[in-house]
Amino acid sequence: MSEVNVISISGGKDSTALSLLSIDRDVPNRIYVFADTGNEHSITYEYLDYLEETLGIEIIRVKADFTKQILRKRNTVKTKWRKEGISLRVIARVLTLLKPTGNPFLDLCIWKGRFPSMKARFCTEFLKEKVIEEQVIEPLIGKYSTIISWQGQRADESASRAKLPEMSAVFGDMETMKGIFNYRPILKWTAEEVFAFHKKHGIRWNPLYEKGMSRVGCMPCVNGNKGELKKIAEQFPEVVERIRQWEEIVSQTSKRESATFFPAVNDPTVKTDDKIFFRTHGINRMIDWAKTSRGGRQHDFLNQEPTDAQVCQSVYAICE
Ligand code: SF4
């Protein structure tokens, strides 16, 4: 029984620094893992290939599967919804579309009948934490006495991250170091140090940073700010179109018949008594709003530091 090191990679700068550090230190039994949400930009997939090739490592790709949950929901629609008085027209439409697509992010939203949000951030739990726990960590239990999960959190990202210890036990004993541990080796690093570490090793950072993205992860992230949304719309119209299609699918399979990727209340021109509908208050309207910086729709978050709520609280710190 020995030690195994699980290094979670998002394709962002912090987890790349973790990978470099793990190689520098030559820690034993390294497992590199990427939880694919299905809401990633193609540049990130290409970057993972680049890391594998340049660093000579294998990055295991894992992803969630919500087939069982969606099939269970079909039964609920057939039985419970009818008892609740939902119209046959709605039930028939939902049953036509309520099928797994194979895309984890979309299937999670189809199952839940809504998109995650800053307040209900179930995406991190279902698309990342559980997947890594169930598909990577749990199979290691019993094979290794010490399982160390490397995490890319940095103290200067948020007040809550600043309180985290460098090493903590999920399960086990810190004295003997037998059990499962979270390890945050770059906790005290600044973003500048992280980028400098890439340069020192001659490794490129994810090109998305040069396209104005402050964080790498889902595109878009439910925590994204107005400035990021504007840049996504300008450079990646295909991402906006994909989200528009997802809003259509999730709306058509939800009881409320409407679901928007971003809560419509993020747009300050939306009044509390407005009737919210995905076709009028969905991603296209948010993009229109994101492009404004003056006049009646001004509400510019541009250049604001992310708040604690915007920084992903994933134990694996996969959401930058
Ligand atoms: S990057 Fe954002 S949208 Fe994606 S799982 Fe993390 S919090 Fe959710």
Side-chain angles (χ1 to χ4, degrees), residues 45 53 67 105 112 128 169 232 235 241 252-253 273 305:
Y45 295 122
E53 197 175 313
T67 304
F105 199 106
K112 294 278 184 185
K128 298 188 168 183
I232 290 171
Q235 299 179 79
E241 176 54 22
Q252 300 286 349
T253 51
D273 54 354
E305 288 298 314

Side-chain angles (χ1 to χ4, degrees), residues 37 39 105 116 121-125 127-128 216-223 261 310 312 318-320:
T37 64
N39 186 18
F105 199 106
R121 201 165 28 195
F122 50 82
C123 45
T124 311
E125 178 191 352
L127 297 173
K128 298 188 168 183
V216 167
C218 287
M219 184 182 284
C221 169
V222 292
N223 299 329
F261 191 90
Q310 285 173 302
C312 185
I318 305 176
C319 308
E320 278 203 318

Side-chain angles (χ1 to χ4, degrees), residues 5 29 57 63 119 123-124 150 195-196 222 228 280 290-291:
N5 289 272
N29 302 320
I57 59 174
K63 63 179 189 176
K119 284 188 183 155
C123 45
T124 311
W150 290 46
F195 283 121
V222 292
E228 283 165 352
T280 50
K291 287 177 181 166

